Amino acid sequence: RVAPGYSGDGAYASAIDRVAAGAGVDAGLADIALAAGQACRRDWKRVELHIIRAKAANVADGALAEALTVCILPSGNPGFVQACGIWRALILDGKVQASPAFRMAVEAI
């Protein structure tokens, strides 16, 4: 390893936290916006990271779902579907919590 102890994901998350706090933006709001933005870029690792962070910040499932729909216009339906698939896998794997309605929908698919 070139830089032992360095975490790219940690540095990325820390930078987001600093920028959001400095701008007075709620961390959960920043993460759902970035989840949609990263879905447009098709950076699925970052989409996963932002969904996990958003759910840890107690973002409601409806708010996350609505935010992810934003990626449909610039990048098309496939990006939205892939992002939702990542979210579904996170729910099924127990990495994020879902409301009873969303859990029921996820398990029904």
Side-chain angles (χ1 to χ4, degrees):
R1 265 186 102 148
V2 175
Y6 175 79
S7 165
D9 286 343
Y12 174 76
S14 178
I16 291 164
D17 291 341
R18 285 192 312 273
V19 169
V25 174
D26 176 73
L29 177 61
D31 279 306
I32 62 174
L34 287 165
Q38 296 294 3
C40 290
R41 296 183 58 244
R42 292 175 167 42
D43 186 340
W44 308 122
K45 179 182 173 190
R46 295 287 189 221
V47 170
E48 181 176 308
L49 174 74
H50 289 296
I51 291 172
I52 290 170
R53 286 172 46 93
K55 293 305 295 174
N58 295 316
V59 169
D61 290 330
L64 178 54
E66 188 173 342
L68 290 177
T69 65
V70 171
C71 74
I72 293 172
L73 288 174
S75 66
N77 233 13
F80 170 71
V81 171
Q82 181 70 25
C84 289
I86 289 167
W87 183 14
R88 179 179 185 268
L90 290 170
I91 293 169
L92 291 175
D93 292 344
K95 293 181 180 175
V96 298
Q97 297 299 312
S99 66
F102 269 74
R103 171 147 301 278
M104 187 171 64
V106 161
E107 290 173 351
I109 298 173

